Amino acid sequence: MKKIFTLFAALTMVLSVSAVNIPAGTKLYLTPNANWNKDNARFAAYFFGDGETWVSMTKVAGETNLYEVTSPAGKSPANVIFCRMNPGTSTNNWDNKWNQTSDLTYDGTLNHYTVKDGTWDKGGGTWSIWPLPAEKTYKDITITVVANATPKIYWWDAGDKLADSDWEARPDMVATATANTYAYTLKDVDETKGVNFIITVGDIQSADQHTTTDVTKNFKEFLPQVVVMGVNNWDGTDKMTVSDDYLSASITFSLDANKAYQLKLTVDGLWVGGDDVNITKDKNSALFAEDTGGDGKITTDLAGDYVFTYTYATKTLVVTYPTPTYDVTTTATVSTQGQNIVLSGSWEEKALTVMLWQGGATQGFGTYAAEDYAPIFLGAAELTPTSEGVYADNSDGTFTFTATATDSEGAIYNITLTGDNPVVEPEYKEWEGSVLFTEEEGTLSISYAASDLSWFLELYIENYTGHSTYEVANVYYGDETVEYYDMYGTVTVEYADWAGTDVLYADLTSGDGTLKVWATLYNEEPVAAEYDVVITNATVTENTSGYYIDMTGEWDGHTIKVEVCDELTADNIWANFFIDGGIANDGDQAEGTVEATVSGGIVTITGTFECMGTGDVYHVTISGTLPDNLTTAVDNLNATVAPVKMINNGQLVIIKNGVQYNAQGAVVK
């Protein structure tokens, strides 16, 4: 919308203005009255106060009663007198003058003198401005910006109707229906003057902008234009592209190897750089803040793509040199180190070693995440994998391993190893009597330890119901979590060393609740250890799950618990022995080795317990004070029948007083 505002046409002023000397080349205008226009008079101006100079006046083109004169060159007169001259003469002097104004002064602004009507000599007049100021018009200007976040706008010097904005309170631009596009309309901008503005996105600020019309731009276009000069050409066509985060601009050049190129930049047309700029691979950045004269240079090493990046905030140019890439193809052999697969070869007279962490599947073939085959060594240098490694079993009896890695300098190695595929067939057998398990708070725990105590498998199976598919919560090998697999309604847990030594496989089925643990044959039989466990201050509590008492205490940093299954006066005492919550005996005690004595309210249990799996033996003596409600309950020998142990349907059953209990004390029948 255009708006028109009419100014006072003449902007006249009386002669009481402050006087200044008249600068050389100043145009002054005269409008004579009717008297002065009689008899075809001509007009002239007499300048004095810096010498004396007469200058003839001429009529302004297109005007009927307006004359102009230019003050003399090389002078700054203090005064001027406009004169009505005899038209029959061409020489300007006082003899040819008919009428004149008074001595007039100039105020530096008002340049048009009008002789007062009805006067002749020194009759007065008024100063005004010529030409008349144009009629001011106003319009609304819309600024539209494409940006990755909401921009703010600041404006100033838009004319006398639109006030300058406040930098600290600059408003957000308004989101439009188009994604990432924002607009703001400035009202009543002086159409001739236009408006200055700055756009900001976060901490990024555009250069000063000016417009007299609507503007639509990507925010990147408001940022300084950076041009690389000299590397490719000097014609200004190698313009950098602003990054999406607006922090920098960049351009890529394909350059030759071992060559020096001239280098300079222009930033929004300003030349920057100079003789002090010397970019190399070892010193690949330089400050480009001002022009230091001359041309800088960049020296290449490899042939390839060089990325030039200019950061606005620091005014720094960084050149990223091309990264060397090597295709490493060689043969390798396979060996094992602990539980890891080792692929060994050589390249460029350097040893090449790839280690695959914990092979996983029996043969170790498959896809490995980068962290599962690190480190890689090439000679003494350690490489870092950057891609998945593929260890493949080929149909011709060979293997192939492929991966990509980098060294500390950023060089890229595309690795391909091939070799003969060793065939290893692990031997499995059922490990009889090697697993103990307990049900506690809905969780089934299974423990197994090998001869050197380094093997330890613990399965936590949630929602155990005895005859259902088990849900595995965690599987551990030592302190490491092991993968587990759920297939066909059966939870299968396996841990295998690729080379076939020390393989553990657990198959938990739901049919009859049987738990099976399979393992390879070990090179030597487990070596049992013997321990003396003495606890004199055990806590004694009544057992409410079919047993008689529980005795709990601390030994060698472990929590020890003994469950006594019979009354203390029975002649065949049955007990369970726990270490840190895990049951440790297999229930087969030698006759007469487990005894109970009660004296002065103190109960003492003495027994020998054999640990499942390792065969370790614990000689236990544990004492504690009986609770009051149990101190007299020691005379039931004649009322009871000694408990009988037997195997029923593959489970250990204890029959006592006609009631069947399992190994945990729960009533079976």
Side-chain angles (χ1 to χ4, degrees):
M1 177 184 295
K2 183 180 292 187
K3 303 175 183 179
I4 300 177
F5 177 72
T6 303
L7 298 175
F8 180 63
L11 295 177
T12 57
M13 192 173 206
V14 296
L15 296 179
S16 60
V17 296
S18 299
V20 298
N21 283 12
I22 304 171
T26 299
K27 281 188 176 294
L28 298 178
Y29 298 90
L30 173 69
T31 296
N33 62 16
N35 289 344
W36 278 39
N37 275 321
K38 290 180 178 180
D39 301 322
N40 294 320
R42 64 182 181 86
F43 303 99
Y46 173 70
F47 295 93
F48 62 100
D50 183 11
E52 298 179 1
T53 305
W54 284 90
V55 182
S56 295
M57 302 187 75
T58 57
K59 184 176 289 187
V60 175
E63 299 294 331
T64 58
N65 192 32
L66 182 66
Y67 298 83
E68 66 180 2
V69 66
T70 302
S71 62
K75 295 184 178 182
S76 298
N79 302 91
V80 64
I81 298 174
F82 294 111
C83 298
R84 176 173 177 258
M85 307 298 291
N86 181 351
T89 65
S90 58
T91 301
N92 296 320
N93 54 41
W94 296 112
D95 291 337
N96 294 331
K97 176 209 67 156
W98 281 352
N99 302 100
Q100 70 174 76
T101 64
S102 300
D103 297 350
L104 304 177
T105 57
Y106 176 62
D107 73 345
T109 301
L110 304 179
N111 60 350
H112 173 213
Y113 188 78
T114 300
V115 179
K116 186 177 180 180
D117 287 343
T119 64
W120 290 99
D121 282 302
K122 302 180 182 180
T126 57
W127 283 98
S128 61
I129 292 177
W130 184 267
L132 296 176
E135 292 180 339
K136 286 190 176 181
T137 57
Y138 301 86
K139 63 188 293 187
D140 297 343
I141 292 180
T142 299
I143 311 295
T144 303
V145 177
V146 178
N148 60 15
T150 303
K152 293 180 180 292
I153 184 170
Y154 169 73
W155 66 88
W156 73 99
D157 201 14
D160 53 5
K161 281 197 170 185
L162 179 60
D164 294 350
S165 61
D166 181 352
W167 175 262
E168 298 300 329
R170 59 193 186 279
D172 288 342
M173 300 185 74
V174 179
T176 69
T178 303
N180 300 322
T181 304
Y182 305 83
Y184 197 88
T185 299
L186 301 172
K187 301 287 188 179
D188 293 331
V189 176
D190 187 314
E191 188 171 18
T192 301
K193 192 179 189 71
V195 62
N196 299 316
F197 65 95
I198 290 174
I199 304 296
T200 61
V201 176
D203 295 330
I204 311 301
Q205 176 180 325
S206 74
D208 292 357
Q209 307 292 318
H210 179 267
T211 186
T212 57
T213 61
D214 291 345
V215 174
T216 299
K217 284 186 177 182
N218 191 299
F219 183 66
K220 294 180 180 181
E221 299 178 69
F222 290 120
L223 299 177
Q225 177 67 68
V226 183
V227 180
V228 179
M229 310 292 287
V231 174
N232 188 41
N233 59 61
W234 292 95
D235 61 12
T237 58
D238 293 325
K239 299 177 180 179
M240 288 189 173
T241 300
V242 178
S243 63
D244 290 337
D245 60 9
Y246 311 133
L247 300 177
S248 61
S250 63
I251 190 172
T252 300
F253 293 103
S254 181
L255 304 180
D256 296 333
N258 302 315
K259 183 176 179 179
Y261 292 82
Q262 289 180 294
L263 172 62
K264 210 160 186 178
L265 302 183
T266 64
V267 181
D268 265 357
L270 177 65
W271 289 78
V272 291
D275 289 334
D276 58 342
V277 173
N278 185 15
I279 291 179
T280 64
K281 183 175 183 179
D282 295 331
K283 187 179 182 301
N284 67 333
S285 65
L287 182 66
F288 280 76
E290 59 184 12
D291 189 357
T292 57
D295 302 327
K297 68 177 180 178
I298 172 176
T299 303
T300 63
D301 62 347
L302 301 175
D305 290 341
Y306 288 71
V307 181
F308 290 60
T309 302
Y310 181 83
T311 301
Y312 291 116
T314 61
K315 299 182 178 179
T316 301
L317 177 71
V318 175
V319 179
T320 302
Y321 278 59
T323 300
T325 300
Y326 304 102
D327 292 326
V328 180
T329 301
T330 186
T331 58
T333 58
V334 180
S335 62
T336 60
Q337 180 178 325
Q339 300 132 36
N340 305 317
I341 304 169
V342 180
L343 309 179
S344 302
S346 64
W347 179 75
E348 297 290 330
E349 299 183 354
K350 297 178 181 179
L352 175 63
T353 303
V354 179
M355 182 176 289
L356 306 179
W357 298 124
Q358 300 180 357
T362 302
Q363 294 295 326
F365 296 118
T367 300
Y368 289 76
E371 62 269 17
D372 290 334
Y373 60 101
I376 298 174
F377 284 96
L378 180 60
E382 181 176 342
L383 308 182
T384 301
T386 57
S387 71
E388 291 184 335
V390 179
Y391 188 32
D393 182 12
N394 302 325
S395 59
D396 60 357
T398 63
F399 74 86
T400 302
F401 176 81
T402 56
T404 302
T406 60
D407 63 17
S408 59
E409 300 296 323
I412 299 172
Y413 296 81
N414 297 317
I415 299 171
T416 301
L417 299 178
T418 58
D420 293 332
N421 176 26
V423 178
V424 178
E425 295 293 341
E427 180 181 0
Y428 295 99
K429 73 168 187 176
E430 185 170 4
W431 191 280
E432 297 178 354
S434 62
V435 174
L436 296 175
F437 58 96
T438 59
E439 181 185 2
E440 183 177 351
E441 298 180 357
T443 299
L444 184 68
S445 299
I446 304 173
S447 301
Y448 160 77
S451 60
D452 59 2
L453 297 182
S454 63
W455 290 86
F456 181 76
L457 179 67
E458 191 172 38
L459 310 181
Y460 297 101
I461 304 167
E462 304 293 344
N463 304 323
Y464 172 63
T465 60
H467 297 281
S468 65
T469 300
Y470 305 134
E471 299 177 7
V472 178
N474 290 294
V475 183
Y476 297 97
Y477 169 72
D479 293 330
E480 301 295 329
T481 301
V482 179
E483 285 188 331
Y484 59 85
Y485 306 91
D486 188 353
M487 298 180 294
Y488 313 115
T490 297
V491 176
T492 301
V493 180
E494 63 179 346
Y495 184 87
D497 186 339
W498 184 86
T501 60
D502 298 353
V503 177
L504 181 65
Y505 177 85
D507 183 12
L508 289 71
T509 63
S510 62
D512 59 0
T514 302
L515 299 177
K516 298 177 182 178
V517 172
W518 297 78
T520 58
L521 290 171
Y522 283 87
N523 295 328
E524 58 185 16
E525 292 295 324
V527 178
E530 292 193 23
Y531 302 94
D532 292 325
V533 179
V534 178
I535 301 173
T536 59
N537 58 347
T539 300
V540 182
T541 58
E542 183 180 6
N543 188 293
T544 59
S545 301
Y547 295 80
Y548 191 68
I549 59 172
D550 294 337
M551 303 182 70
T552 306
E554 298 293 321
W555 168 77
D556 196 25
H558 299 281
T559 298
I560 302 298
K561 177 182 175 182
V562 175
E563 289 182 344
V564 181
C565 307
D566 306 279
E567 287 82 359
L568 300 179
T569 56
D571 60 359
N572 186 12
I573 299 299
W574 176 262
N576 284 322
F577 175 56
F578 296 87
I579 300 177
D580 296 328
I583 193 167
N585 70 298
D586 62 3
D588 242 348
Q589 309 301 327
E591 185 175 354
T593 59
V594 180
E595 299 178 350
T597 59
V598 179
S599 176
I602 303 297
V603 60
T604 300
I605 299 296
T606 303
T608 299
F609 300 85
E610 182 179 351
C611 183
M612 289 295 297
T614 63
D616 293 343
V617 176
Y618 295 83
H619 303 290
V620 177
T621 300
I622 184 168
S623 301
T625 302
L626 275 170
D628 292 339
N629 63 325
L630 293 176
T631 54
T632 59
V634 297
D635 194 20
N636 298 320
L637 180 61
N638 296 328
T640 63
V641 178
V644 177
K645 296 174 290 179
M646 62 180 295
I647 301 298
N648 186 9
N649 292 328
Q651 295 187 3
L652 176 65
V653 175
I654 303 168
I655 302 175
K656 184 175 66 174
N657 294 335
V659 179
Q660 293 185 15
Y661 302 87
N662 64 15
Q664 286 71 40
V667 176
V668 176
K669 182 176 179 181

